[in-house]
Coordinates of all heavy atoms in Angstrom, one line a residue:
D223 N 102.9 89.0 133.8 CA 102.5 87.6 133.6 C 103.4 86.9 132.6 O 103.7 85.7 132.8 CB 101.0 87.5 133.3 CG 100.6 88.4 132.1 OD1 101.5 89.2 131.6 OD2 99.4 88.4 131.8
A224 N 103.7 87.6 131.5 CA 104.5 86.9 130.4 C 105.9 86.7 130.9 O 106.5 85.6 130.6 CB 104.5 87.8 129.2
N225 N 106.5 87.6 131.7 CA 107.8 87.4 132.2 C 107.8 86.2 133.2 O 108.7 85.4 133.3 CB 108.3 88.7 132.9 CG 108.7 89.7 131.9 OD1 109.0 89.4 130.8 ND2 108.8 91.0 132.4
A226 N 106.7 86.2 134.0 CA 106.6 85.1 135.0 C 106.6 83.7 134.3 O 107.2 82.7 134.7 CB 105.4 85.3 135.9
F227 N 105.8 83.7 133.2 CA 105.7 82.4 132.4 C 107.1 82.0 131.9 O 107.5 80.9 131.9 CB 104.7 82.6 131.3 CG 104.7 81.5 130.3 CD1 104.1 80.3 130.7 CD2 105.1 81.6 129.0 CE1 104.1 79.2 129.8 CE2 105.1 80.6 128.1 CZ 104.5 79.4 128.5
A228 N 107.9 83.0 131.4 CA 109.2 82.7 130.8 C 110.1 82.2 131.9 O 110.9 81.3 131.7 CB 109.8 84.0 130.2
I229 N 110.1 82.9 133.1 CA 110.9 82.5 134.2 C 110.6 81.0 134.6 O 111.5 80.2 134.8 CB 110.8 83.4 135.4 CG1 111.3 84.8 135.0 CG2 111.5 82.9 136.6 CD1 111.0 85.9 136.0
G230 N 109.3 80.8 134.8 CA 108.9 79.4 135.2 C 109.3 78.4 134.2 O 109.7 77.3 134.6
D231 N 109.2 78.6 132.9 CA 109.5 77.7 131.9 C 111.0 77.4 131.9 O 111.5 76.3 131.7 CB 109.1 78.1 130.5 CG 109.2 77.0 129.5 OD1 108.3 76.2 129.3 OD2 110.3 77.0 128.8
S232 N 111.8 78.4 132.2 CA 113.3 78.2 132.3 C 113.7 77.3 133.4 O 114.6 76.6 133.3 CB 114.0 79.6 132.4 OG 113.8 80.2 133.7
Y233 N 112.9 77.4 134.5 CA 113.2 76.5 135.7 C 112.9 75.1 135.3 O 113.7 74.2 135.7 CB 112.4 76.9 136.9 CG 113.0 77.9 137.8 CD1 112.9 79.3 137.6 CD2 113.8 77.4 138.9 CE1 113.5 80.2 138.5 CE2 114.4 78.3 139.8 CZ 114.2 79.7 139.5 OH 114.8 80.6 140.4
K234 N 111.9 74.9 134.5 CA 111.5 73.5 134.2 C 112.3 72.9 133.0 O 112.7 71.7 133.1 CB 110.0 73.5 133.7 CG 109.5 72.1 133.5 CD 108.0 72.2 133.2 CE 107.4 70.8 133.1 NZ 105.9 70.8 132.8
H235 N 112.6 73.7 132.0 CA 113.3 73.2 130.8 C 114.7 73.7 130.6 O 115.4 73.2 129.7 CB 112.4 73.4 129.6 CG 111.1 72.8 129.6 ND1 109.9 73.6 129.7 CD2 110.7 71.5 129.6 CE1 108.9 72.8 129.7 NE2 109.3 71.6 129.7
G236 N 115.1 74.7 131.4 CA 116.4 75.3 131.1 C 116.2 76.2 129.9 O 115.2 76.2 129.1
A237 N 117.2 77.0 129.6 CA 117.2 77.9 128.4 C 118.6 78.3 128.0 O 119.5 78.5 128.9 CB 116.4 79.1 128.7
S238 N 118.9 78.4 126.7 CA 120.1 78.8 126.2 C 119.8 79.7 125.0 O 118.8 79.5 124.3 CB 121.1 77.7 125.9 OG 120.5 76.8 124.9
G239 N 120.7 80.6 124.7 CA 120.5 81.5 123.6 C 119.4 82.5 123.9 O 119.1 82.8 125.1
V240 N 118.7 83.0 122.9 CA 117.6 84.0 123.0 C 116.3 83.3 122.7 O 116.1 82.7 121.7 CB 117.9 85.2 122.1 CG1 116.7 86.2 122.3 CG2 119.2 85.8 122.4
T241 N 115.4 83.4 123.7 CA 114.1 82.8 123.5 C 113.0 83.8 123.8 O 113.1 84.6 124.8 CB 113.9 81.6 124.5 OG1 115.0 80.7 124.3 CG2 112.6 80.9 124.2
L242 N 112.0 83.9 122.9 CA 110.8 84.8 123.2 C 109.6 83.9 123.5 O 109.3 83.0 122.8 CB 110.5 85.6 121.9 CG 109.2 86.4 121.9 CD1 109.2 87.5 123.0 CD2 108.9 87.0 120.6
F243 N 109.0 84.2 124.6 CA 107.8 83.5 125.1 C 106.6 84.5 124.8 O 106.6 85.6 125.2 CB 107.8 83.1 126.5 CG 108.9 82.1 126.9 CD1 110.2 82.5 127.1 CD2 108.5 80.8 127.0 CE1 111.2 81.6 127.4 CE2 109.5 79.8 127.3 CZ 110.8 80.2 127.5
L244 N 105.6 84.0 124.1 CA 104.4 84.8 123.9 C 103.3 84.3 124.8 O 103.0 83.0 124.8 CB 104.0 84.7 122.4 CG 104.7 85.5 121.4 CD1 104.2 85.3 120.0 CD2 104.7 87.0 121.8
L245 N 102.6 85.2 125.4 CA 101.4 84.8 126.2 C 100.2 85.5 125.6 O 100.1 86.8 125.6 CB 101.6 85.3 127.7 CG 100.5 84.9 128.7 CD1 100.4 83.4 128.8 CD2 100.8 85.6 130.0
M246 N 99.3 84.8 125.0 CA 98.2 85.3 124.3 C 96.9 85.0 125.1 O 96.4 83.9 125.1 CB 98.1 84.7 122.9 CG 99.2 85.2 122.0 SD 99.1 84.6 120.3 CE 99.5 82.9 120.6
E247 N 96.3 86.1 125.7 CA 95.1 86.0 126.4 C 94.2 87.1 125.9 O 94.0 87.2 124.7 CB 95.3 86.0 127.9 CG 96.0 84.8 128.5 CD 95.9 84.7 130.0 OE1 96.3 85.7 130.6 OE2 95.5 83.6 130.5
T248 N 93.7 88.0 126.8 CA 92.9 89.1 126.4 C 93.8 90.0 125.5 O 93.4 90.6 124.5 CB 92.4 89.9 127.6 OG1 91.6 89.1 128.4 CG2 91.6 91.1 127.1
G249 N 95.1 90.2 125.9 CA 96.1 90.9 125.1 C 97.2 89.9 124.7 O 97.1 88.7 124.8
V250 N 98.3 90.5 124.3 CA 99.5 89.7 123.9 C 100.7 90.3 124.6 O 101.0 91.4 124.5 CB 99.7 89.7 122.4 CG1 101.0 89.0 122.0 CG2 98.5 89.2 121.6
G251 N 101.3 89.4 125.4 CA 102.5 89.8 126.1 C 103.7 88.9 125.8 O 103.5 87.8 125.2
G252 N 104.9 89.3 126.1 CA 106.0 88.5 125.8 C 107.1 88.6 126.9 O 107.2 89.6 127.6
G253 N 107.8 87.6 127.0 CA 109.0 87.5 127.9 C 110.2 87.1 127.2 O 110.1 86.1 126.3
I254 N 111.3 87.7 127.4 CA 112.6 87.4 126.6 C 113.6 86.8 127.6 O 113.9 87.5 128.6 CB 113.1 88.6 125.9 CG1 112.1 89.2 124.9 CG2 114.5 88.3 125.2 CD1 112.5 90.5 124.2
L255 N 114.1 85.7 127.3 CA 115.2 85.1 128.1 C 116.5 85.0 127.2 O 116.4 84.7 126.1 CB 114.9 83.6 128.5 CG 113.8 83.4 129.5 CD1 113.6 82.0 129.8 CD2 114.1 84.2 130.8
I256 N 117.6 85.4 127.8 CA 118.9 85.4 127.2 C 119.8 84.5 128.1 O 120.1 84.9 129.2 CB 119.5 86.7 127.0 CG1 118.6 87.6 126.1 CG2 120.9 86.6 126.4 CD1 119.1 89.0 125.9
D257 N 120.0 83.3 127.6 CA 120.8 82.3 128.3 C 120.2 82.1 129.7 O 120.9 82.0 130.7 CB 122.3 82.8 128.5 CG 123.0 82.7 127.1 OD1 122.6 81.9 126.3 OD2 123.9 83.5 127.0
G258 N 118.9 81.9 129.7 CA 118.2 81.6 131.0 C 117.9 82.8 131.9 O 117.3 82.6 132.9
K259 N 118.3 84.0 131.5 CA 118.1 85.1 132.4 C 117.1 86.1 131.7 O 117.2 86.3 130.5 CB 119.4 85.9 132.7 CG 120.3 85.0 133.5 CD 121.6 85.8 133.8 CE 122.5 85.0 134.7 NZ 123.8 85.8 135.1
L260 N 116.1 86.6 132.5 CA 115.1 87.5 131.9 C 115.8 88.8 131.5 O 116.5 89.4 132.2 CB 114.1 87.8 133.0 CG 112.9 88.6 132.5 CD1 112.0 87.8 131.6 CD2 112.0 89.1 133.7
F261 N 115.4 89.2 130.3 CA 115.8 90.5 129.7 C 114.7 91.5 129.8 O 113.6 91.3 129.2 CB 116.3 90.3 128.3 CG 116.7 91.6 127.6 CD1 117.9 92.3 128.0 CD2 116.0 92.2 126.6 CE1 118.3 93.4 127.4 CE2 116.4 93.4 126.0 CZ 117.5 94.0 126.4
R262 N 114.9 92.6 130.5 CA 113.8 93.6 130.7 C 114.0 94.8 129.8 O 113.0 95.5 129.5 CB 113.8 94.1 132.2 CG 113.5 93.0 133.2 CD 113.3 93.5 134.6 NE 113.1 92.5 135.6 CZ 111.9 92.0 135.8 NH1 110.8 92.4 135.2 NH2 111.8 91.0 136.7
G263 N 115.2 95.1 129.4 CA 115.4 96.3 128.6 C 115.5 97.5 129.4 O 115.4 97.4 130.7
G264 N 115.8 98.6 128.8 CA 116.1 99.8 129.5 C 114.9 100.3 130.4 O 115.1 101.0 131.4
H265 N 113.7 100.1 129.9 CA 112.5 100.6 130.6 C 111.6 99.4 131.1 O 110.5 99.7 131.5 CB 111.7 101.5 129.7 CG 112.5 102.7 129.3 ND1 112.7 103.8 130.1 CD2 113.1 103.0 128.1 CE1 113.4 104.7 129.4 NE2 113.7 104.2 128.2
G266 N 112.1 98.2 131.1 CA 111.3 97.1 131.6 C 110.2 96.6 130.6 O 109.4 95.9 131.0
L267 N 110.3 97.1 129.4 CA 109.2 96.7 128.4 C 109.7 95.9 127.3 O 109.1 95.9 126.2 CB 108.6 98.0 127.9 CG 107.9 98.9 128.9 CD1 107.5 100.3 128.3 CD2 106.7 98.3 129.5
S268 N 110.8 95.2 127.5 CA 111.5 94.5 126.3 C 110.6 93.5 125.7 O 110.6 93.2 124.5 CB 112.8 93.9 126.7 OG 112.6 92.9 127.8
G269 N 109.7 92.8 126.6 CA 108.9 91.8 126.0 C 107.5 92.2 125.6 O 106.7 91.4 125.2
E270 N 107.2 93.5 125.7 CA 105.8 94.0 125.3 C 105.6 94.1 123.8 O 105.5 95.2 123.3 CB 105.6 95.3 126.1 CG 105.4 95.2 127.6 CD 104.3 94.2 128.0 OE1 103.2 94.3 127.3 OE2 104.5 93.5 128.9
V271 N 105.7 93.0 123.2 CA 105.6 93.0 121.7 C 104.2 93.2 121.2 O 104.0 93.5 120.0 CB 106.1 91.6 121.1 CG1 107.6 91.5 121.4 CG2 105.4 90.5 121.7
G272 N 103.2 93.1 122.1 CA 101.8 93.2 121.7 C 101.5 94.6 121.2 O 100.6 94.8 120.4
H273 N 102.3 95.6 121.6 CA 102.0 97.0 121.2 C 102.8 97.4 120.0 O 102.6 98.5 119.5 CB 102.4 97.9 122.4 CG 101.6 97.6 123.6 ND1 100.3 97.7 123.8 CD2 102.1 97.2 124.9 CE1 99.9 97.4 125.0 NE2 100.9 97.0 125.7
M274 N 103.6 96.5 119.5 CA 104.4 96.8 118.3 C 103.4 96.9 117.0 O 102.5 96.1 116.9 CB 105.5 95.8 118.0 CG 106.5 95.7 119.1 SD 107.7 94.3 118.9 CE 108.3 94.7 117.2
L275 N 103.7 97.9 116.2 CA 102.9 98.0 115.0 C 103.4 97.0 113.9 O 104.6 96.8 113.7 CB 103.0 99.4 114.4 CG 102.5 100.5 115.4 CD1 102.6 101.9 114.7 CD2 101.0 100.3 115.8
V276 N 102.4 96.3 113.3 CA 102.8 95.3 112.3 C 103.0 96.0 110.9 O 102.1 96.7 110.4 CB 101.7 94.3 112.2 CG1 102.0 93.2 111.1 CG2 101.5 93.6 113.5

Side-chain angles (χ1 to χ4, degrees):
D223 54 357
N225 285 343
F227 174 69
I229 294 169
D231 191 85
S232 72
Y233 268 88
K234 186 175 182 179
H235 299 113
S238 60
V240 180
T241 307
L242 169 65
F243 294 83
L244 282 180
L245 184 63
M246 293 183 286
E247 291 191 308
T248 302
V250 177
I254 298 174
L255 290 181
I256 300 179
D257 293 332
K259 295 183 179 180
L260 185 69
F261 177 69
R262 296 185 184 276
H265 300 283
L267 298 171
S268 62
E270 291 299 320
V271 296
H273 303 295
M274 295 174 59
L275 299 182
V276 179

